[in-house]
Amino acid sequence: MSHHKRNMEILGYIAALLIGGTLGLTGSGGSILTVPILVYLIGLNPIIATSYSLFVVGATSSIGGYRFFRKGLVHGKTLVIFGVPSLVTIYLTRLYLMPALPPQLFRLGQVIVTKEIMVMVLFALLMMVSAVGMIKNKVSAEVKDKNKEGGHYQQMLAQAVLVGLISGLVGAGGGFLIIPALVLLVRLDMKVAVGTSLVLIALNSLVGFLGDMGHYTIDWVFLLTFSGLSVIGIYVGSAFAHKINSKALKQGFGWFVLVMGVFILFKEILG
């Protein structure tokens, strides 16, 4: 192993701690960096990176989801109504759709668009949309004092399938789609929406990872080490969460994610 590659791996492990630390400090957002870290620092193939990311996101979201569940801030009925279609979609996406996509998708002039490029471009766009949500801190102001549960179940079904599809394609949790759906369509209280979202993300991610089990050789030592560092980061971040302005930090992190998304987009398109 070259000295440069070894240094990049060490940076990758440090970044795993930062993923968890951001989650612990702000309650969300950190996992959006998992795929770029696995691809650009660890050097994994983007398709494998999306698989590993599902496991990491599932493990870290489980910690937060359990905390909210213990406080009674998880809505069981919504968990079933939203969870089942998104779980089925992500499982089928990872089991059948991803393996079925050809290595070379199409040509744009002289440029061959591969499956790996498509995944990273989609991920960059996802990062940018998610970043805008973090910067604006949207949703909470829109539904103040509207805690009554709604019945927009057709819209919820469509949103759940969309979450499953996006999560399956790019290996991300999809919280930026789930939380607005739960707050605006189901009229859940913001804290309950966050708690329910974390449980949904954990379930979606781990079920999606199960869909990959027969397709890829998993390096369990690396995956458990990386995930373990992320979980440690959560507890470290949580210990300092009360000492900082989490809203300001989340907005700052949002700008960082936005810049990273733009960088990845240009890197993948321009090569």
Side-chain angles (χ1 to χ4, degrees), residues 178-189:
I178 297 173
I179 292 174
L182 300 188
V183 174
L184 299 172
L185 299 180
V186 195
R187 298 288 188 249
L188 292 186
D189 174 78

Side-chain angles (χ1 to χ4, degrees), residues 42-114:
I42 303 296
L44 295 183
N45 174 283
I47 308 303
I48 298 293
T50 62
S51 180
Y52 282 21
S53 175
L54 286 170
F55 186 89
V56 175
V57 171
T60 52
S61 299
S62 297
I63 304 292
Y66 178 67
R67 287 178 172 178
F68 277 83
F69 180 76
R70 283 182 62 188
K71 294 176 183 176
L73 296 173
V74 174
H75 195 261
K77 183 181 176 183
T78 303
L79 209 56
V80 175
I81 293 171
F82 198 101
V84 172
S86 62
L87 286 171
V88 170
T89 305
I90 191 171
Y91 183 74
L92 294 177
T93 299
R94 297 304 300 189
L95 186 64
Y96 295 115
L97 179 59
M98 286 297 283
L101 290 173
Q104 296 183 2
L105 298 174
F106 54 89
R107 278 180 175 271
L108 283 174
Q110 298 298 312
V111 179
I112 298 172
V113 178
T114 64

